[in-house]
Amino acid sequence: MRFPQMPEAGRPVVILLHGGGLSDWSVAALRHCLHEHFCVLTPILDGHGMDAETTFISIEDSAQKLLDFIDSHCGGHIFALGGLSLGAQIAVEVLSLRPAVTDVALIESALCLPIPGARSLAGPTYALCYGLVKQRWFAKAQAKTLCLPPELFEDYFSDSKKMSKASLVNITVSNGSYNLERSLAKVTAKTLVIVGEKERNIMRRSAELLHNAIPASTLYIADGKQHGELSICCPEEYAALFLDFCGKQGLSLSAPQVE
């Protein structure tokens, strides 16, 4: 797991984890919205973007690497932890391992219900289809399902071609077979569970399951939004929701940008 930014002394640390197949560029605009008031770190998950040479192993492995970073660079605790999709699953695993690691958690579109056949079919399927990820037409179709704005497509296509077959298979298996841990009942973080109104039924059911697993969590259904659309396409809306949820409504937002 690569950290392009390091914590700044005296500033509340916010860590945002991107989704599978994406990278830190997908949360750059959101980081800019919040950077005036927080130290916003956007690590790159193993197997993705600039860290493509490091094979993604599992959600559990990534969660432990993030905890190691928090222990060594953030004194073992941060102000807020957010994640989308695969990043959200990693954030959930972090909370299950260390229920008091953060004051605030925002979990967007975390799949928490195992998909039948995810483990047994991923290897053979992607062994046959791996070459498609390097095709522009296929990447455009995938980008559409991820609700990526057109200006982010070239970043997405470039990074898609870098991902190894091993990482792609491991991501698919880990994502499709993830189960919630009972230790989530001990989470002390103020937690917002986010799901798009237009997401698949399994994602809405996952959000409800996660909401029920974490005490005093809040379930937020993003009106009219598809998978990942809130944080990727509407960074100002997401940032305002974040400030409101953590009780900092009076803070101003910086104009979103994409680096």
Side-chain angles (χ1 to χ4, degrees):
M1 186 176 291
R2 183 188 294 258
F3 282 80
Q5 315 90 12
M6 287 291 119
E8 303 168 33
R11 305 192 75 189
V13 173
V14 176
I15 295 180
L16 301 175
L17 303 175
H18 64 79
L22 308 177
S23 191
D24 58 337
W25 44 261
S26 66
V27 287
L30 180 54
R31 184 176 70 242
H32 277 289
C33 284
L34 298 171
H35 85 284
E36 185 175 346
H37 307 289
F38 303 96
C39 171
V40 184
L41 308 181
T42 54
I44 301 172
L45 303 181
D46 290 350
H48 294 75
M50 293 176 62
D51 209 20
E53 293 184 0
T54 304
T55 300
F56 180 93
I57 303 300
S58 67
I59 288 169
E60 293 78 8
D61 176 73
S62 297
Q64 188 57 60
K65 287 179 177 177
L66 182 55
L67 281 173
D68 291 344
F69 177 87
I70 292 173
D71 287 341
S72 60
H73 292 86
C74 307
H77 186 86
I78 59 175
F79 175 68
L81 175 63
L84 164 66
S85 196
L86 178 66
Q89 291 173 307
I90 294 169
V92 171
E93 184 65 16
V94 166
L95 291 174
S96 72
L97 293 170
R98 194 85 63 80
V101 72
T102 183
D103 294 330
V104 178
L106 289 90
I107 311 299
E108 182 183 3
S109 302
L111 178 62
C112 303
L113 291 166
I115 297 174
R119 189 172 297 277
S120 60
L121 296 176
T125 299
Y126 282 99
L128 293 172
C129 303
Y130 177 64
L132 289 176
V133 302
K134 302 179 185 298
Q135 301 299 317
R136 179 174 287 271
W137 66 267
F138 184 80
K140 284 188 174 182
Q142 291 297 102
K144 185 176 181 180
T145 66
L146 294 169
C147 296
L148 287 183
E151 61 270 20
L152 295 181
F153 174 74
E154 292 302 330
D155 289 319
Y156 171 70
F157 184 44
S158 175
D159 284 355
S160 293
K161 293 186 289 184
K162 297 176 186 175
M163 184 176 289
S164 70
K165 186 189 299 182
S167 287
L168 183 59
V169 170
N170 291 344
I171 288 168
T172 305
V173 170
S174 200
N175 170 262
S177 57
Y178 185 65
N179 279 299
L180 297 181
E181 299 291 340
R182 292 183 179 180
S183 54
L184 288 171
K186 300 178 181 179
V187 170
T188 60
K190 185 178 182 183
T191 304
L192 185 64
V193 179
I194 303 169
V195 66
E197 180 189 22
K198 293 185 177 181
E199 292 203 54
R200 292 180 298 158
N201 183 54
I202 192 172
M203 299 306 302
R204 296 194 298 273
R205 287 164 52 209
S206 289
E208 292 171 358
L209 185 66
L210 183 59
H211 169 50
N212 292 330
I214 299 179
S217 63
T218 300
L219 177 60
Y220 179 80
I221 300 176
D223 187 37
K225 299 294 192 297
Q226 300 181 59
H227 187 79
E229 190 173 1
L230 178 61
S231 59
I232 295 177
C233 300
C234 308
E236 288 182 295
E237 183 179 345
Y238 183 102
L241 177 65
F242 167 76
L243 294 180
D244 181 65
F245 186 70
C246 64
K248 298 184 180 295
Q249 301 95 323
L251 299 182
S252 59
L253 296 175
S254 302
Q257 304 174 34
V258 176
E259 292 181 341

